[in-house]
Amino acid sequence: MISPAKKLKSILIERKKIDSTIFDEAELKGEFFADYIIKKGLASESEVVDFFVEGLGSSPIDVSDLRIFPEALEIIPKAIALNYQIMPIACIGHVLILAMANSSDIVSMDNINALTGLRVHPVKAQLKDIEKAIGIYHSEDANIAFEQIMKDISDSEELELIKDSSKITENQHVESLIQDAPTIRLTDAIIKQAIIAKASDIFIEPLEKALRIRYRVDGIIREVDRMSKNLHFPVISRIKIMSNLDISEHRLPQDGRFKIMTDRKREVDFRVSVLPAAFGEKVVLRVLDKNAAMLDIGRLGFKEQALETLKECSLKPHGMILTCGPTGSGKTTTLYSILKFIDSPEKNIITVEDPVEYQMKGINQVNIKPQVNLTFASTLRSILRQDPDVIMIGEIRDFETLDVAIKAALTGHLVLSSLHTTTAAGSVVRMVNMGIEPFLICSSVLSVVAQRLLRKLCDKCKEPQDVPDYLAKKIGLTKLKFNKKPTFFKPKGCKHCFELGYQGRIGITEIMVLTPAVKKCILDRVGEFQIKEVSRREKMVTMREDGLEKAAAGLTSIEEVLRVTASDEEMEE
């Protein structure tokens, strides 16, 4: 869609014969070119407004698809926009152009005129589009400006205190810095921006001469800002205080957590890890947004057949279900979703985690503490005396934990856990390498879920893509059966996806059920590839195949599927 601003530019050039260099002049001066043209006397205010509205068109507009001018946003606060169901689009001279659900509401226009002192020019828009736009542009002060906060810090005595830190004691230093409002605002801004961006992790990293802030969004790390190295100490100290950590300890790693309540009364937990590095302490915050977690087994992206298989295994009275994949692949979300699916007042469900990521009502959750010998294995032994029906183990890391888990599955308990392996078949090889006998694996394990998270294409800007025959054959696309020839898409980039071409994530999975044929392979101690081939003959869909089917459905790109699935996932011809 052509923006109204570009349309206005073309109309003004066509109708008024204004040279395009005028627009370059306005840009250089940092002014909205409509105001610049009026100021220069090249067109009257009423003419520019009429041309601007003409650029919007006569039919109701989709406000969420427009570029809203920051000057207009500053004029109408969020509360007024919600109250009057309006969205400011632009301010031209003394005229405020508003998108309104009811463009003939004279009373509202008069009130806005009285509040702003500007003449209101209404443009028709649907209420749902206005509400969506308000959510995008006014979301939790989304336009938090690090620059302004940095200016406030510079104007205060904070940087001077940091530079003169050798002259005061550490306690005085910390006390004087962390209580300073600009430092608190800066730390809060870093955290709030991460929530707005839907980041899963925040990286606060000291470099040799700067402090780097990075977010992991949709699985990809991106740098959002670099600031003075002098701010490293106060920001880290502020986070330590929020996490109830020792602010005087700089030599050893520390772990903690804290929670905040957002402006929309949303509770968000943060898991904090502090690690001493070469240029100072590095902090990583894992964002645990309880509202963002779907915890619905039907919304995890499983194919219908795979979902039914998983549900069937989950409802069995005993046995073990494993999820596997690298860090950040959604294993914990899958485990919690299974727990929510099988949870009932008649079941005694206990989890042992490091740490507890999401609190679930009605479920007993234990946070391990290795420093007092409260380990996975020791906790599991105690849990078995609590007469549980279902046990969830956050992660199996060693033989002792795996041994207790398998014995629990063999003695009438349903056990859920995760392993760090790349494929479902690889988890079997991993357990054998850890020292578990194959016959115990066959007797205890019900199924293994391997999964990855890949980025979804932005629906606003994705473009069709041609797939060459040689590539289709190489990646195994020719082996998949489709009802009709699929159309594949590639990323382009727009303002909705921050020019990335992707927005959000979706899971791809493979579920290996231990059928008699698969169990025979395990007992024969064959390799991972043979187990995988037998599982495929038993109707297992691999992650590569699941990803290509999602690409054929327009949900993601082939490039993303190839990036997320490992090279050993290539299909043999």
Side-chain angles (χ1 to χ4, degrees), residues 131-142:
E131 291 175 343
K132 182 180 177 182
I134 293 172
I136 292 172
Y137 288 97
H138 284 288
S139 178
E140 310 201 26
D141 301 324

Side-chain angles (χ1 to χ4, degrees), residues 38-56:
I38 295 169
K39 188 193 300 183
K40 295 278 286 185
L42 298 172
S44 67
E45 183 180 283
S46 59
E47 284 179 316
V48 174
V49 171
D50 289 341
F51 291 147
F52 190 90
V53 175
E54 183 181 333
L56 291 172

Side-chain angles (χ1 to χ4, degrees), residues 55-76:
L56 291 172
S58 57
S59 57
I61 62 168
D62 182 356
V63 189
S64 62
D65 205 31
L66 296 177
R67 175 183 176 272
I68 306 299
F69 292 92
E71 298 86 353
L73 283 172
E74 293 173 3
I75 295 169
I76 303 293

Side-chain angles (χ1 to χ4, degrees), residues 521-539:
C521 288
I522 297 171
L523 291 171
D524 291 341
R525 293 178 179 267
V526 302
E528 177 182 344
F529 179 77
Q530 289 90 335
I531 296 174
K532 176 179 170 182
E533 286 304 303
V534 171
S535 298
R536 290 180 67 190
R537 288 199 292 269
E538 296 285 298
K539 299 183 179 179

Side-chain angles (χ1 to χ4, degrees), residues 161-169:
L161 284 169
I162 296 170
K163 291 171 185 176
D164 295 339
S165 59
S166 59
K167 300 178 183 178
I168 55 178
T169 68

Side-chain angles (χ1 to χ4, degrees), residues 69 115 164 235 238 290 305 311 336 349-350 428 496 537 573:
F69 292 92
L115 286 168
D164 295 339
V235 169
R238 170 65 180 163
K290 296 179 180 179
Q305 182 182 347
K311 286 182 177 179
Y336 275 114
I349 301 177
I350 305 178
V428 173
H496 292 277
R537 288 199 292 269
E573 287 296 331

Side-chain angles (χ1 to χ4, degrees), residues 436-532:
I436 301 298
E437 290 294 331
F439 74 89
L440 289 175
I441 297 173
C442 294
S443 302
S444 59
V445 179
L446 297 170
S447 62
V448 182
V449 181
Q451 62 187 84
R452 300 288 189 278
L453 291 175
L454 46 77
R455 294 178 292 172
K456 290 177 64 178
L457 283 168
C458 174
D459 290 329
K460 299 283 186 181
C461 64
K462 63 183 181 182
E463 294 180 332
Q465 177 185 28
D466 292 327
V467 182
D469 292 339
Y470 79 90
L471 179 61
K473 185 177 181 181
K474 181 180 178 181
I475 65 178
L477 191 58
T478 54
K479 286 191 173 184
L480 298 180
K481 296 179 181 178
F482 301 103
N483 295 328
K484 60 179 181 178
K485 186 178 180 180
T487 301
F488 293 92
F489 294 88
K490 62 181 179 180
K492 180 185 177 184
C494 65
K495 68 182 182 66
H496 292 277
C497 59
F498 303 101
E499 304 299 332
L500 297 174
Y502 296 97
Q503 195 170 46
R505 290 197 286 179
I506 190 170
I508 55 173
T509 58
E510 62 184 29
I511 300 182
M512 184 183 75
V513 179
L514 269 67
T515 62
V518 175
K519 288 180 179 180
K520 185 178 184 305
C521 288
I522 297 171
L523 291 171
D524 291 341
R525 293 178 179 267
V526 302
E528 177 182 344
F529 179 77
Q530 289 90 335
I531 296 174
K532 176 179 170 182

